[in-house]
Amino acid sequence: MSDKLAKLTSIVSIVLFVLAILFGGLFYFNVMSMEAMPDSIVVPSEKVAWTMERLGGPLEYFVYIVYVLVFLSLFSTIGFSILNIFKSTKTAKNSLLSIGVLGGIFLIAYAFSSPEIPVFLGVEKFNLTPGIAMTVDTGLISMYLFFIIAVGGIVFTGVRSLFR
């Protein structure tokens, strides 16, 4: 069973990775390579309106694609973790510990997040509330923490292998 589960996990990971690369390339060629904004537009509100008019459709599709990819990644991660729990008590303990650490990181990020709405050009078009601002801030801080943990793990592994 563990070989089948490992094979299935690898296939799902590869499919999600390929989809992310494919849609990233499509985003680059459809949205990022659009023509530059005309120099004749100088008023900030006109720039925002022009940008939203030009990017509205394609950008909206890619936001939905990102939602789907994040949902699939989250679903597969949680699904395979739950399947892994039933293999043995040791894997159950490790899986629950991993989920607890993940929850702890999100709690730390939530504790440091701020409900203050940021000020930037065109902020009124996004209908931001303090709850939305806090959710976005929690996501950003948690990603920073995950990045720090990943880099720390890489450095720790490198230093540990030097001393062995």
Side-chain angles (χ1 to χ4, degrees):
M1 169 144 172
S2 64
D3 289 338
K4 289 181 182 179
L5 187 62
K7 201 178 276 191
L8 184 62
T9 305
S10 297
I11 291 170
V12 169
S13 298
I14 290 169
V15 167
L16 288 174
F17 182 71
V18 168
L19 284 174
I21 295 293
L22 175 73
F23 287 122
L26 285 173
F27 177 78
Y28 178 77
F29 288 114
N30 287 341
V31 177
M32 298 302 291
S33 62
M34 293 178 76
E35 66 185 63
M37 186 179 307
D39 291 333
S40 62
I41 299 176
V42 289
V43 180
S45 63
E46 290 176 4
K47 284 184 180 180
V48 171
W50 186 87
T51 304
M52 287 302 175
E53 178 184 316
R54 299 286 294 168
L55 293 178
L59 196 58
E60 185 178 0
Y61 297 135
F62 285 110
V63 168
Y64 291 134
I65 289 169
V66 168
Y67 287 157
V68 168
L69 286 176
V70 166
F71 174 75
L72 288 174
S73 300
L74 184 67
F75 179 74
S76 63
T77 302
I78 291 173
F80 288 127
S81 295
I82 290 172
L83 286 175
N84 208 13
I85 286 174
F86 295 116
K87 284 172 45 177
S88 72
T89 57
K90 184 178 180 182
T91 58
K93 186 174 89 173
N94 289 341
S95 296
L96 291 174
L97 183 65
S98 299
I99 291 171
V101 168
L102 203 65
I105 289 172
F106 280 115
L107 282 176
I108 291 169
Y110 183 77
F112 284 111
S113 64
S114 167
E116 184 177 324
I117 297 174
V119 178
F120 57 89
L121 182 64
V123 69
E124 62 277 351
K125 292 189 182 237
F126 294 103
N127 298 326
L128 294 178
T129 63
I132 292 172
M134 196 157 187
T135 303
V136 169
D137 209 19
T138 300
L140 287 172
I141 292 171
S142 64
M143 288 303 113
Y144 297 149
L145 290 173
F146 288 134
F147 176 74
I148 290 169
I149 291 168
V151 170
I154 292 169
V155 169
F156 174 75
T157 304
V159 169
R160 186 180 66 184
S161 67
L162 286 176
F163 288 111
R164 283 189 172 182

